[in-house]
Amino acid sequence: VPELVEVESARALLEARTVGRTIKAVDAPDAWFLKRGTTAAGLRDALRGRTITAVRRRGKQIYVDTDGGEGPTFGLHLGMSGRVVVDGDEAGDPLIYASNRDVPAWRRFGLRFADGGAMWLRDPRRLGAVVLDPSESRLGPDATTLTLAQLREALRRGARAPIKAVLMDQSRVAGLGNLLVDEILWRAGIDPARLASTLDDDEQRALHRTIRSTVRLLLKRGGVHLGDHVEARTRGGRCPRDGAEMERRTIGGRTTYSCPAHQH
Ligand SMILES: [Zn+2]
């Protein structure tokens, strides 16, 4: 599943390769893929003749601005298997969890540029989305720039939920998914089932540092599946740090692996 790291790769590709290009035509063949009242006709009317001027990201959501903010913005979400393709090139390493074949029916949304090139959002599983003029207020602060004060506020508002559920709630902190949160809590030595309210001041600081450093590390490695905790995500898997047998639970509705020896 594309998490923050993969979405950032897609954003960087879009920024490098579409900013400054003018939209000649919009292809939105799959009405299911258009969400929150967005229609193919609405996208065509809004975007034709516009020039892309910025590509932003907050959590797992990509925002594309046109005409220097004077034109409409549209949102792209990669869902479970989405991939951005610009002039035939794709972002980052091949995904390990989705087919990389280019089947025309998987092209859910595309822009053709006045200079002759094109971009596509390809999504075999069809769980991504395109939204015209998306609301940007539903998401919490982005995990890559999260401050200690913002983390404390998220923990305060989610005090009665397990720490793992709070970190995965996109309205509290945007960008952290299942693999990334398990990796962070494993590195921080915090039991994912603990209630958010039980973290003391030192633990909050340690968690904040670990969120920032883990996200930075995995952005550098190029994928959330390249963390050190991932190899232990299997029945009978052992903690890479101390060799203890990992514990498998469902927390916040998601399969969770943690180490009973060093995560408390
Ligand atoms: Zn351990």
Side-chain angles (χ1 to χ4, degrees):
V1 178
E3 289 197 35
L4 184 153
V5 173
E6 289 76 15
V7 179
E8 174 57 25
S9 302
R11 187 207 65 79
L13 176 72
L14 286 170
E15 179 177 70
R17 303 282 295 275
T18 70
V19 167
R21 298 174 81 175
T22 298
I23 299 164
K24 190 177 92 181
V26 178
D27 292 294
D30 189 348
W32 167 260
F33 212 74
L34 311 178
K35 298 292 198 267
R36 295 179 187 270
T38 302
T39 63
L43 282 168
R44 274 196 299 273
D45 289 348
L47 299 180
R48 260 193 315 219
R50 302 286 188 179
T51 298
I52 293 177
T53 49
V55 185
R56 300 175 287 119
R57 181 191 58 75
R58 186 156 173 185
K60 299 180 224 175
Q61 183 70 50
I62 293 172
Y63 301 107
V64 182
D65 298 326
T66 62
D67 291 0
E70 299 293 310
T73 292
F74 62 95
L76 299 176
H77 198 284
L78 303 183
M80 303 286 278
S81 60
R83 209 78 173 125
V84 163
V85 185
V86 183
D87 300 331
D89 294 336
E90 304 181 24
D93 292 334
L95 298 184
I96 56 171
Y97 39 79
S99 172
N100 290 300
R101 286 185 298 140
D102 190 14
V103 176
W106 292 345
R107 294 177 172 184
R108 308 297 177 186
F109 174 73
L111 300 175
R112 295 175 196 279
F113 298 112
D115 61 21
M119 69 133 294
W120 288 99
L121 203 167
R122 188 178 72 213
D123 185 359
R125 293 182 61 183
R126 213 182 174 209
L127 291 165
V130 176
V131 176
L132 185 61
D133 292 323
S135 160
E136 300 186 26
S137 60
R138 296 178 305 116
L139 293 174
D142 187 77
T144 52
T145 54
L146 187 73
T147 66
L148 179 58
Q150 288 171 332
L151 175 62
R152 285 191 167 133
E153 173 65 8
L155 296 175
R156 194 185 61 73
R157 287 168 52 207
R160 292 171 157 187
I163 181 67
K164 170 156 183 181
V166 173
L167 294 179
M168 285 190 61
D169 181 343
Q170 302 299 302
S171 72
R172 304 211 190 283
V173 178
L176 303 180
N178 195 37
L179 284 185
L180 204 39
V181 169
D182 275 10
E183 177 89 26
I184 288 164
L185 293 174
W186 175 78
R187 286 172 179 264
I190 295 172
D191 180 346
R194 271 179 65 184
L195 298 187
S197 59
T198 66
L199 268 65
D200 67 23
D201 195 61
D202 285 347
E203 288 173 320
Q204 291 177 351
R205 285 175 191 282
L207 177 60
H208 176 248
R209 276 196 306 273
T210 309
I211 291 171
R212 297 288 296 263
S213 63
T214 305
V215 167
R216 252 199 321 270
L217 176 74
L218 295 182
L219 277 169
K220 209 161 123 191
R221 289 189 187 169
V224 292
H225 59 284
L226 300 173
D228 296 345
H229 166 277
V230 172
E231 64 178 72
R233 299 184 68 85
T234 165
R235 286 182 193 278
R238 301 251 163 211
C239 174
R241 183 179 295 182
D242 52 45
E245 187 171 334
M246 299 291 276
E247 185 177 4
R248 182 183 191 272
R249 289 172 290 179
T250 300
I251 300 171
R254 303 297 297 273
T255 300
T256 301
Y257 286 91
S258 60
C259 171
H262 86 268
Q263 289 181 256
H264 303 289

